[in-house]
Amino acid sequence: MENGGNRSRRSSASEKAKEIEAINGIVSGKNVLITGGAAGLGHAFLNHFLKHGANKITILDIDANAGKRVEINVEKSYGEKKVHFIHADVSCHEQMIEAFEEASKWMNDIDIVVNNAGILDERRWEKEIAVNIGGMVCTALLALKYLSRDQLGHGGTLVNVSQHIDIRNTAQLPVYTATKHAIIGLSQSLAESYQYEKVGVRVITLCPGLTETALTVDSPNKLLSRVMKADFVKNLDQLSIQTPYVVAQGLMSILKSGASGSIWVIENGRTPYEVYIPNPRTLRRTYKNNFILVEPKVTRGRPIREVCDNTRTGLMSCV
């Protein structure tokens, strides 16, 4: 008589096999472009695309030595003409235009773009904005040009990598946090403006939680002050960290079923889950009798209640 444990293991193995088959159906034979592909998350994405049978992959990175090493290592394992490295700075528009042209010629066309490159350096916040916003916007717009059916492509998928951010744990990263919020807004707008049915471009946002990369390891030394560094290190000690492998594995599952405009979080090494941006109207605060009671202030020992009367204006807030 078969016990439940064996049935459960066989069922789990069968589900995993189906999952892999479904991912292969999405990835196999596809041409992929990854920014920031020489290390960290980008390198993990590269390995998973190769594992699931991608046809050709172009990686862009500002680190020329690391990029060349990756290209050589992939050739040893998968053969020549599988991965092509292009040295490029995503914050330089001219370099990115040339990089996309080169990638398109080498792969013949592009099916998937992973918009991943980013930096964390609060001390050089101008550069942080240039890369994390300017570079990602540039990459996203070029991706649409080369993927859209009404331009140079035949449809495809754009993945914008943002970050799962808990404000309580990122108070020491004001500029970095702002740039990651911007990417969510970018994705939502592009998903709305370039409907999948019209141009065939699916736009997905990936938001990893705390992940073990060089960016994370070096981050305490790139904050605005010593006080911020001390608080940040203290917060990091209380958080669990995941590997890039887990995030890349999660992305493969998301590619299988994620709809255009969807936002996915991968944190604590667990299964991806989808989140949504609520409609602002659902967040609208209402007050009894249209009055807002402000925190009491004490003047000469006598409490004063400040009242805002908005009945004349009809507004639901006070300025």
Side-chain angles (χ1 to χ4, degrees), residues 260-319:
S260 186
S262 60
I263 304 170
W264 295 84
V265 173
I266 304 175
E267 61 175 341
N268 301 323
R270 296 176 181 172
T271 303
Y273 62 89
E274 186 177 359
V275 298
Y276 72 97
I277 304 297
N279 187 315
R281 291 187 179 87
T282 67
L283 304 177
R284 188 175 181 177
R285 297 178 65 184
T286 57
Y287 303 91
K288 187 176 181 179
N289 299 327
N290 286 332
F291 286 103
I292 301 174
L293 300 183
V294 182
E295 195 74 23
K297 292 183 179 180
V298 177
T299 304
R300 296 180 182 177
R302 188 165 68 95
I304 298 176
R305 188 181 72 173
E306 293 185 358
V307 178
C308 173
D309 185 353
N310 52 34
T311 55
R312 289 176 296 176
T313 62
L315 299 176
M316 297 304 295
S317 62
C318 301
V319 179

Side-chain angles (χ1 to χ4, degrees), residues 27 30-63 66-67 70-71 74 82-90 95-96 99-100 102-104 106-107 109-118 135-136 139-140 142-143 146-147 157-161 206 244 247-249 251-252 255:
V27 174
K30 295 296 192 293
N31 296 319
V32 184
L33 184 148
I34 305 170
T35 63
L41 279 175
H43 187 245
F45 295 146
L46 165 67
N47 287 331
H48 274 74
F49 278 117
L50 289 169
K51 175 182 174 182
H52 290 285
N55 180 38
K56 290 184 177 182
I57 303 175
T58 299
I59 58 171
L60 278 57
D61 206 286
I62 198 169
D63 189 334
V70 170
E71 190 176 52
V74 170
K82 198 69 178 178
V83 169
H84 178 53
F85 168 68
I86 299 175
H87 181 231
D89 180 350
V90 295
Q95 288 185 26
M96 291 302 292
F100 265 81
E102 183 178 339
S104 181
W106 183 73
M107 297 189 293
D109 54 37
I110 304 173
D111 300 297
I112 300 171
V113 174
V114 182
N115 192 3
N116 166 71
M136 294 198 83
T139 301
L142 285 168
Y146 281 86
L147 293 174
T157 299
L158 166 63
V159 179
N160 289 325
V161 180
L206 174 64
V247 178
Q249 188 177 46
L251 175 59
M252 298 301 110
L255 289 173

Side-chain angles (χ1 to χ4, degrees), residues 220-269:
N221 297 317
K222 297 183 177 181
L223 304 185
L224 292 171
S225 70
R226 292 181 180 178
V227 173
M228 285 185 169
K229 177 180 178 180
D231 290 340
F232 187 65
V233 171
K234 183 179 178 181
N235 285 336
L236 285 180
D237 289 340
Q238 299 172 355
L239 299 174
S240 58
I241 191 167
Q242 62 192 358
T243 64
Y245 179 92
V246 171
V247 178
Q249 188 177 46
L251 175 59
M252 298 301 110
S253 298
I254 293 167
L255 289 173
K256 175 176 63 72
S257 56
S260 186
S262 60
I263 304 170
W264 295 84
V265 173
I266 304 175
E267 61 175 341
N268 301 323

Side-chain angles (χ1 to χ4, degrees), residues 91-109:
S91 65
C92 179
H93 188 58
E94 291 75 16
Q95 288 185 26
M96 291 302 292
I97 291 174
E98 293 174 0
F100 265 81
E101 289 178 354
E102 183 178 339
S104 181
K105 289 178 181 178
W106 183 73
M107 297 189 293
N108 294 324
D109 54 37

